[in-house]
Amino acid sequence: MQLPARSIFILHDIYSTFNGVAFKNFQIFIPSLAGAWVKELFAYTFLLKQWYGKHIVLPETEDGIALVYDQWSSHNNYYHWLVDCLPRLLVLREKFPNHLLLLPKSAAGFIKTTAAIFGFDRFFFIDKDEILKAHKFIIPQHTAHSLFHDPVLIKRVREEIINGLGKAVKQPSRRLYLSRSRQPKRRLMNEEAFVEALAAYNFEVIHFEDFSFEQQVALMQQAEVVVGVHGANMTNILFMQPSCTVVELLNIHSVNPLYFRLSSYLELPYYALPCEQVEDKAFGEDVGIMPAANDYHLVADLGKMERILVSIFG
């Protein structure tokens, strides 16, 4: 695969919203969006309303500010920060190392930690009701379409985080089931029986909520096989060692193959377990490209899971 070079845009005297929408004179700078189709969500009255927000101005003493996050990653979205934003930081670092970064004031610890690993430890924070005006914005282009990845850059992200945290191990041996039982969406409704079936193969039940970012990376470095329901928790397969195995539980009525792609780029054998959904009106109607079914709880077929386990372990 040969990938095109990425551009770094330098814009003068423009504004940015809390969620990374860059604009000027009621025109949105499209490369600041998660995708061109997102423009419709921020058109018309959205830009008009921005003038009623609290305006702050970047000090002239700063040589501009860099924007690497977008509307998907602005709310501490684990997947989109690690997979969409960090490759953009690599692009930015080529020309603007340790430049001042714009971040939401609510930025989680993993965002600051990973930015620092990449050599960026200077931050300017913006709150959700604020608009930043800067004399210079530096915006690296997205490195792939949303839910896709640049194989070269995603491997570099993996290597730099593992090396930066010093979490590399020689021989992975743990078998992990990543539970979503504490999450409001996409829980496995027959999890008790599912965990019992996995126990016969010496799987541990893991709740990532109990672990720091550094501990999560270390866990995944130790993992020989990981089983989990589609969701942000599966982003941590990024830190597995090559040739280790991923099993993803997917809603058969709302299939999103992003972790299949990620596994492929990282040389991880991948299995998909199709699951039936448990419809719940609490999750509302379809929104844009994301069907409501994406959030429904699931029921796993234990027979199919057993066949996958036999295929893996013999």
Side-chain angles (χ1 to χ4, degrees):
M1 179 183 290
Q2 186 171 0
L3 298 163
R6 273 66 176 197
S7 298
I8 298 178
F9 303 100
I10 300 177
L11 302 97
H12 297 277
D13 297 320
I14 67 167
Y15 301 82
S16 176
T17 64
F18 157 81
N19 52 3
V21 179
F23 69 99
K24 183 177 182 179
N25 296 333
F26 297 101
Q27 289 186 311
I28 293 174
F29 184 62
I30 300 299
S32 72
L33 302 179
W37 60 270
V38 180
K39 181 180 178 181
E40 293 304 312
L41 302 178
F42 299 101
Y44 313 115
T45 58
F46 171 80
L47 290 180
L48 183 62
K49 290 178 181 177
Q50 301 315 307
W51 298 108
Y52 296 97
K54 178 182 178 182
H55 284 227
I56 53 177
V57 179
L58 184 71
E60 291 287 340
T61 52
E62 294 288 353
D63 183 26
I65 192 164
L67 172 63
V68 299
Y69 70 88
D70 59 32
Q71 303 72 55
W72 295 161
S73 47
S74 60
H75 298 283
N76 291 325
N77 185 290
Y78 191 69
Y79 168 85
H80 287 291
W81 174 260
L82 291 181
V83 175
D84 294 342
C85 301
L86 291 184
R88 297 175 76 185
L89 270 188
L90 290 175
V91 173
L92 179 71
R93 193 175 64 186
E94 292 293 320
K95 298 292 184 181
F96 300 94
N98 197 27
H99 203 282
L100 181 67
L101 291 184
L102 179 63
L103 287 180
K105 191 170 287 185
S106 59
F110 69 84
I111 290 177
K112 301 168 192 175
T113 297
T114 50
I117 289 172
F118 283 51
F120 294 86
D121 58 8
R122 301 173 56 235
F123 308 126
F124 187 95
F125 296 101
I126 181 172
D127 212 342
K128 60 183 179 180
D129 61 346
E130 294 177 332
I131 305 296
L132 174 67
K133 180 182 180 182
H135 51 278
K136 183 166 74 172
F137 265 98
I138 302 168
I139 305 178
Q141 187 178 14
H142 283 76
T143 61
H145 294 297
S146 183
L147 307 182
F148 286 79
H149 324 91
D150 177 320
V152 175
L153 291 180
I154 208 67
K155 286 184 177 180
R156 285 180 57 192
V157 166
R158 174 189 182 279
E159 291 166 1
E160 294 210 14
I161 291 176
I162 290 171
N163 294 335
L165 294 177
K167 299 300 182 182
V169 297
K170 292 183 179 180
Q171 186 60 46
S173 59
R174 298 175 72 173
R175 301 171 181 180
L176 307 179
Y177 168 62
L178 312 181
S179 175
R180 288 183 58 90
S181 62
R182 301 176 188 173
Q183 297 298 312
K185 301 176 181 178
R186 251 177 277 127
R187 295 197 302 271
L188 188 62
M189 302 307 288
N190 60 336
E191 184 169 86
E192 184 176 349
F194 189 79
V195 168
E196 185 176 342
L198 292 180
Y201 292 85
N202 300 316
F203 275 82
E204 308 169 54
V205 179
I206 298 295
H207 294 87
F208 276 138
E209 298 93 331
D210 296 333
F211 299 91
S212 67
F213 174 71
E214 293 84 350
Q215 291 171 328
Q216 292 178 44
V217 174
L219 269 174
M220 299 303 280
Q221 275 282 286
Q222 300 165 23
E224 172 193 14
V225 182
V226 163
V227 177
V229 176
H230 177 86
N233 56 340
M234 294 295 287
T235 308
N236 279 335
I237 66 173
L238 180 63
F239 307 117
M240 295 178 72
Q241 298 194 48
S243 300
C244 294
T245 302
V246 175
V247 182
E248 182 182 13
L249 280 63
L250 286 167
N251 184 336
I252 197 170
H253 303 288
S254 179
V255 176
N256 185 339
L258 68 93
Y259 292 115
F260 163 70
R261 299 185 191 112
L262 188 58
S263 297
S264 299
Y265 298 145
L266 297 172
E267 302 171 40
L268 304 173
Y270 173 93
Y271 293 82
L273 175 64
C275 299
E276 284 298 330
Q277 65 187 22
V278 179
E279 296 189 19
D280 191 334
K281 293 182 179 179
F283 297 123
E285 303 295 331
D286 293 359
V287 177
I289 64 168
M290 194 62 67
N294 183 64
D295 295 330
Y296 289 161
H297 303 316
L298 303 178
V299 175
D301 185 315
L302 301 184
K304 291 179 180 177
M305 187 64 216
E306 178 66 23
R307 290 197 289 275
I308 289 175
L309 293 170
V310 169
S311 176
I312 295 171
F313 300 116

